[in-house]
Structure formats: structure tokens, C-alpha cells
Amino acid sequence: MILNTYLSLTSFVKGWKSNTESPTFVLPAINLIHALPFNEYEYGLSLLRKSIGLHEQRMNIPLEKSKQMIPFFRDNRRMLVGPEMEIYIISLYESDKQPLRMPVTEAPLIKLSFDYEQLAEHCLLENLYLIRCKYDEKQMLDIFVQQMEREYDKFFYDDEHTGFTADSRFYSMLCNACMEVKNSSEKDEKEWNLALFRHPAEAEYGFIDGKLTPFSSVSIPPTCIKKVAMMDREKDILSFSALAGFLQKNGLAPEIYLEGLIED
């Protein structure tokens, strides 16, 4: 299986680090809140909130004791309540079809294809998470309701505080709602997320697609790469030609890896 991601040619070139014995490739995993439009991660959270209400109905919990309006974010900051951790993701797509959400950049776009098995093995070794997104609303709501039966008594909420007990999985539920729950209208994209968790103090900052963005660098072995494609290469044939040389310099034979260099 192949997983595709999209980035600017500028980011692709900057990602190669050749100051070691062998070249390595670094991708920026972008802070989830900056990587996704608000409505995308809010959709999953809305299902989680709904599951709280459904559980309370089943348990006949009175409205005045309801936890359904628990705040999911810290005051005046787009950061999930709970542990002092933030989520960083790289969006990947099983579908070869161009996704609706693409980087906005003046530089040419690159479609970078990874071998799933190689990438999954690397994630396992590096404590990264490779998550297949889910598009069935009823299925996800049922899962949240089942989890809520075990977790409901392990978090609290009042006018001043939000908290979890030490053994609570509620934070994991919040993260899953943001990272892997997608609207069924996007199911053809077959999205995956390569995800990691970092303390805010560990964040890196840089201008990505013209905006100051918190990110975390993820090193990926070049052996995971299956194909490099420069989209609309006919519009910038000089950059395409230079890209062939760049790949060769970094140990990837352009006649094998660069799509369109040798036509069938």
C-alpha cells in the first residue's frame, strides 16, 4: 500500500539533511490546531460531546449534574484540556486522488509517496502513531458511548476546574476525536495521520506556507520513499529538471523515483 502526502518544493528541498554519513529526510509535523481547519477537528469533538449526553440519558443523570458542556480547550488558547501536551500531525492519503485540503504555496507542489509497511515499521521504532481516519459517524458515536461507560466517572468539571484522574483515558478520547474522526463526505480521500505528542516547550516554529506555525520535525528514512511527483511539472520544466539532479545527489535514482522523468 502507498500513502501520499503533499508539500511545497521548497519544503521538500529544505527537508533533506546531508550533513550525516547518509542523507536523511525531515518532514514538519504541524500542530493539529494549525494543520486542520476548525470544523474538521471540531466535528469529532461534537460526537464526543454527544456521547456524554447519551450516556447521561441512559444513566438518568439529572441536567444539573451534567458534564456535557465540559470545555475541551484551555481558556483563551487552542490547546486541549488535560496533560500539558500538544498533538502534531502529518496528513497522508491512501487515495491517489488529490485531496480537497492542499498546501497553499507559490512554489510547485510535490506529491511524496511512502511505502506503508516501511513507514509503519519506522513509526513503531520511533514511538510515532500511524492512524487510519474513520468516516462512519454512527460507528464512532457507538464507540465513544461504550468508552464513556468506563470513563465518565474518571473526569470532573465545574465552573472553575476541569480535570482527570490519573488513570483516565478521557484525554485519549479527546485526541482520537480530533485526529481520526472525519466527516463521511471526505471518505474517498482515505486519510491517515502520522501523529506525535510533544510538550509545548519542545515545539519548533517557522514559516510554513507563509504563516508562523508550530511544528515538530520528524525524520523519515529515505528507504520509506517510493515515488516523488512534481505536480504540473509542465509549467516549470526547469525546476523539474533540477529536481532530478537534486534526487540523484541525495541517493535516489531519478529514473526510478521521479514520476514523469521516463515516460512509459
Side-chain angles (χ1 to χ4, degrees), residues 1-198:
M1 183 171 66
I2 298 298
L3 294 177
N4 303 305
T5 191
Y6 297 83
L7 67 163
S8 69
L9 179 59
T10 303
S11 296
F12 178 75
V13 171
K14 286 182 177 179
W16 285 90
K17 309 299 179 185
S18 57
N19 55 350
T20 58
E21 293 183 1
S22 59
T24 58
F25 182 61
V26 175
L27 270 176
I30 300 175
N31 184 296
L32 175 80
I33 307 304
H34 292 257
L36 301 180
F38 175 76
N39 63 312
E40 289 196 27
Y41 59 80
E42 183 68 11
Y43 171 73
L45 291 173
S46 70
L47 296 185
L48 181 58
R49 195 179 297 281
K50 186 175 181 180
S51 74
I52 297 174
L54 291 174
H55 175 76
E56 291 174 342
Q57 290 178 18
R58 292 182 181 180
M59 302 303 294
N60 295 315
I61 296 174
L63 185 61
E64 60 271 19
K65 294 185 178 181
S66 174
K67 300 179 183 179
Q68 191 171 11
M69 296 312 296
I70 179 174
F72 288 153
F73 294 96
R74 296 171 184 267
D75 287 344
N76 301 317
R77 189 174 181 188
R78 281 288 166 185
M79 181 179 179
L80 290 173
V81 295
E84 191 79 4
M85 297 292 284
E86 294 182 309
I87 311 168
Y88 294 82
I89 68 166
I90 298 171
S91 295
L92 303 158
Y93 302 90
E94 185 180 338
S95 172
D96 199 46
K97 180 181 178 182
Q98 182 173 313
L100 293 174
R101 177 165 45 84
M102 295 283 283
V104 178
T105 174
E106 294 181 359
L109 273 176
I110 295 293
K111 181 174 77 172
L112 191 57
S113 301
F114 295 108
D115 178 85
Y116 166 77
E117 292 184 358
Q118 294 276 356
L119 186 61
E121 181 178 354
H122 174 69
C123 289
L124 188 63
L125 293 173
E126 297 298 323
N127 198 29
L128 304 169
Y129 300 89
L130 194 55
I131 301 166
R132 184 198 296 266
C133 295
K134 298 176 177 62
Y135 297 90
D136 189 322
E137 180 174 320
K138 183 180 183 303
Q139 180 188 51
M140 288 309 304
L141 187 57
D142 289 344
I143 290 173
F144 283 150
V145 170
Q146 291 173 11
Q147 292 175 332
M148 199 59 63
E149 293 175 358
R150 300 188 298 270
E151 301 303 317
Y152 184 83
D153 293 331
K154 298 177 183 179
F155 68 93
F156 68 86
Y157 158 62
D158 57 34
D159 290 340
E160 297 182 358
H161 303 94
T162 299
F164 318 121
T165 59
D167 62 346
S168 174
R169 292 187 65 255
F170 188 69
Y171 180 70
S172 295
M173 294 172 68
L174 284 171
C175 294
N176 290 340
C178 290
M179 286 190 297
E180 63 180 339
V181 181
K182 300 290 182 178
N183 197 298
S184 59
S185 64
E186 302 170 0
K187 64 181 180 181
D188 290 343
E189 295 185 354
K190 299 180 180 180
E191 185 174 354
W192 293 66
N193 279 320
L194 191 160
L196 57 149
F197 295 83
R198 292 288 184 268

Side-chain angles (χ1 to χ4, degrees), residues 200-260:
E202 299 175 310
E204 303 169 65
Y205 288 87
F207 283 91
I208 298 177
D209 300 331
K211 295 182 180 179
L212 181 62
T213 304
F215 68 94
S216 184
S217 296
V218 177
S219 295
I220 298 178
T223 51
C224 293
I225 298 174
K226 290 290 289 184
K227 189 68 70 175
V228 178
M230 180 174 155
M231 305 176 72
D232 296 327
R233 61 180 181 270
E234 296 83 2
K235 296 180 180 179
D236 193 348
I237 195 65
L238 289 178
S239 290
F240 180 73
S241 177
L243 179 58
F246 179 80
L247 292 178
Q248 187 171 14
K249 177 182 177 180
N250 286 282
L252 298 181
E255 63 273 15
I256 296 175
Y257 288 92
L258 184 56
E259 184 176 292

